[in-house]
């Protein structure tokens, strides 16, 4: 990761996809262990970026996904199954969003024509 100037780096903290958190801090933020983050990484739920030194770095978006997986695991769901559920939930949310966008576009075209 190239170094950021202080003002540029501060602006990036508002970016949900900016890998701002170390593994230890990320685990602390979601109430999990670094081992849990490694496990969901191995299950390909999230793929953290790596710093120049090779350390895992997580974004806020990835932490939201990890927190949802942790909820499921805490409820008794195996890690692999929790990861699959979260992936399917994410796909469903995206499909619903696209459907709504298409519906609104059709309505606009109907009013214009």
């Amino acid at each position: 990761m190239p170094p950021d100037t202080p003002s540029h780096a501060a602006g990036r903290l508002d970016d949900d996809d900016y890998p701002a958190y170390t593994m230890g801090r990320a685990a602390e933020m979601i109430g999990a262990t670094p081992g849990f983050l490694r496990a969901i990484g191995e299950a390909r739920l999230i793929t953290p970026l790596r710093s120049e030194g090779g350390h895992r770095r997580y974004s806020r978006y990835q932490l939201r996904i990890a927190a949802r997986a942790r909820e499921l695991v805490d409820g008794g769901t195996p890690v692999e199954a929790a990861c699959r559920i979260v992936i399917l939930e994410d796909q469903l949310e995206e499909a619903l969003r696209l459907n709504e966008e298409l519906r609104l576009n059709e309505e606009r075209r109907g009013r214009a024509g």
Side-chain angles (χ1 to χ4, degrees):
M1 231 178 284
D4 287 322
T5 62
S7 62
H8 184 256
R12 299 288 313 258
L13 293 177
D14 291 335
D15 182 351
D16 263 2
D17 295 318
Y18 183 67
Y21 304 100
T22 63
M23 177 181 273
R25 180 68 179 124
E28 180 183 305
M29 289 173 71
I30 65 166
T33 64
F36 176 78
L37 290 174
R38 280 190 291 277
I40 63 174
E42 289 169 9
R44 299 182 193 272
L45 177 61
I46 58 175
T47 303
L49 290 177
R50 298 283 182 148
S51 69
E52 287 182 19
H55 300 282
R56 291 173 178 91
R57 305 286 294 192
Y58 297 87
S59 68
R60 288 189 305 193
Y61 174 74
Q62 289 173 322
L63 294 183
R64 282 195 300 275
I65 290 172
R68 176 63 181 132
R70 183 180 167 266
E71 288 174 10
L72 292 167
V73 169
D74 286 352
T77 304
V79 171
E80 290 282 337
C83 290
R84 186 68 183 137
I85 289 167
V86 172
I87 289 167
L88 290 170
E89 287 175 342
D90 197 48
Q91 289 172 344
L92 176 59
E93 185 178 315
E94 178 67 5
L96 292 172
R97 186 191 65 75
L98 289 172
N99 255 354
E100 181 63 13
E101 191 176 299
L102 289 171
R103 186 188 64 74
L104 290 172
N105 285 338
E106 285 295 317
E107 283 181 9
R108 285 186 203 116
R109 275 197 291 257
R111 285 187 290 221

